Amino acid sequence: TYDPFASKEKIAMETAKFPPAKNLGYQISGMLTYSPKTGKFQKFDKYFCKKLNEETIVFEGFGKFFAIDGVLQKEVIKAVIERLEQILEWFHKQRTFNFFASSLLVVFDGDISPSPSSHPNSSLSSSGLDGGNITHNCCNGETDSIIENDFSDLVSSDSVDDKTTNPPDSPHPKVQVRMIDFAHVYHMTEEDENYIFGLKHLIDDFRRLLKS
């Protein structure tokens, strides 16, 4: 990933790392999943993620992430989509920042067992999503502070309130979606088309998975 001030060499090098990002607008940097059946975590590193393409990233990538012991957690996907749509709505309105090389962190409780002794957040499945055309981070400490203070609901709050993602007696775990990595955020007055491009594609791909 790269920002607007990257050299041609830097752009070529970053593009070659994951060519599908040009059309997808995003890439997966890594995943960690949990199996209540075995009590073990499974890590999918960047090397696994870079082998995915425009077709396999949905079912072999996100399909693995959102499945608990082979069962696709559709309520979790719905909650993630809802949160991403809130973030997308904000991006359509804001004309202050453009985000490059920024990431989305998606986390949900991987232990859905009803045991009363289980801590609700003791076992987590998490995925890091990097912007392809969007790229990652940004800025300086001052901008980081502005983002965190003015848009804390997008940066550090839970994906959706508990009533939506974890209603009484619901078997579905709590979900969190957070914007992270702000090393390459720039003050701009135009719409952040790159971030919006990647976010729309990500939402569409989650919807494809939801319909499967």
Side-chain angles (χ1 to χ4, degrees):
T1 53
Y2 52 88
D3 61 36
F5 304 103
S7 65
K8 291 182 179 180
E9 292 75 16
K10 172 69 171 178
I11 293 173
M13 181 182 70
E14 292 297 327
T15 302
K17 290 181 179 179
F18 189 66
K22 182 177 181 179
N23 293 325
L24 288 170
Y26 69 85
Q27 63 188 51
I28 306 176
S29 61
M31 304 186 296
L32 182 68
T33 62
Y34 175 77
S35 168
K37 186 178 295 184
T38 64
K40 296 181 178 180
F41 290 90
Q42 183 174 7
K43 181 180 180 180
F44 300 89
D45 60 20
K46 63 180 181 180
Y47 301 106
F48 169 86
C49 296
K50 288 185 183 300
K51 293 179 181 178
L52 300 171
N53 57 44
E54 291 180 49
E55 288 302 317
T56 60
I57 198 169
V58 176
F59 300 104
E60 295 180 24
F62 296 131
K64 292 182 183 297
F65 174 69
F66 285 111
I68 296 180
D69 289 329
V71 179
L72 192 64
Q73 303 298 301
K74 293 194 173 184
E75 292 303 314
V76 171
I77 299 174
K78 290 178 183 178
V80 171
I81 290 174
E82 181 176 344
R83 181 54 175 164
L84 293 177
E85 287 176 336
Q86 293 172 354
I87 295 174
L88 179 61
E89 182 180 0
W90 178 78
F91 268 95
H92 278 306
K93 294 178 180 179
Q94 73 93 14
R95 296 293 187 276
T96 307
F97 302 110
N98 276 18
F99 292 72
F100 295 89
S102 186
S103 302
L104 288 167
L105 176 67
V106 178
V107 184
F108 69 93
D109 195 335
D111 189 353
I112 57 176
S113 61
S115 172
S117 62
S118 297
H119 188 283
N121 289 317
S122 60
S123 304
L124 299 176
S125 293
S126 64
S127 174
L129 302 170
D130 298 342
N133 288 1
I134 338 170
T135 342
H136 264 165
N137 310 358
C138 157
C139 257
N140 51 38
E142 178 184 1
T143 306
D144 274 0
S145 178
I146 293 172
I147 295 171
E148 290 176 3
N149 290 336
D150 293 353
F151 312 114
S152 59
D153 59 323
L154 298 178
V155 175
S156 60
S157 67
D158 293 346
S159 62
V160 196
D161 61 48
D162 288 348
K163 294 180 180 178
T164 302
T165 61
N166 194 28
D169 302 321
S170 170
H172 304 293
K174 189 174 183 179
V175 180
Q176 295 186 16
V177 179
R178 300 186 181 188
M179 294 172 60
I180 61 174
D181 297 335
F182 307 114
H184 300 282
V185 176
Y186 297 91
H187 289 282
M188 301 284 189
T189 58
E190 66 270 13
E191 187 174 71
D192 193 344
E193 295 180 354
N194 281 332
Y195 201 106
I196 290 172
F197 175 84
L199 192 53
K200 282 183 174 180
H201 277 250
L202 182 61
I203 292 172
D204 288 344
D205 283 346
F206 283 168
R207 286 175 176 154
R208 284 177 58 197
L209 183 61
L210 192 58
K211 292 178 180 179
S212 64

